[in-house]
Amino acid sequence: MNEPSKPCDHVGCNCQVPVSRDYCSESCRMAAESQNMGGACECGHAACQQRP
Ligand SMILES: [Zn+2]
Ligand SMILES: [Zn+2]
């Protein structure tokens, strides 16, 4: 059974999360709440490890 997913609410994060959650990690939650929009995502998930 596949749970529906959506993008993490942290701008700049590439992760998919279950619709019941807002963020993929505490790191994203804190980054979003502190308005830290410019920096790279620090959640540590594979989708966000790519560096330019
Ligand atoms: Zn991320
Ligand atoms: Zn995230």
Side-chain angles (χ1 to χ4, degrees):
M1 180 166 151
N2 265 340
E3 191 169 6
S5 62
K6 67 179 190 68
C8 176
D9 279 356
H10 177 214
V11 175
C13 180
N14 297 316
C15 297
Q16 294 283 318
V17 299
V19 292
S20 56
R21 297 188 57 187
D22 291 333
Y23 303 103
C24 68
S25 65
E26 283 301 305
S27 148
C28 279
R29 180 191 303 282
M30 289 192 294
E33 287 181 353
S34 66
Q35 312 265 310
N36 180 20
M37 300 298 192
C41 181
E42 294 182 349
C43 73
H45 294 134
C48 298
Q49 297 267 328
Q50 303 148 14
R51 309 219 168 167

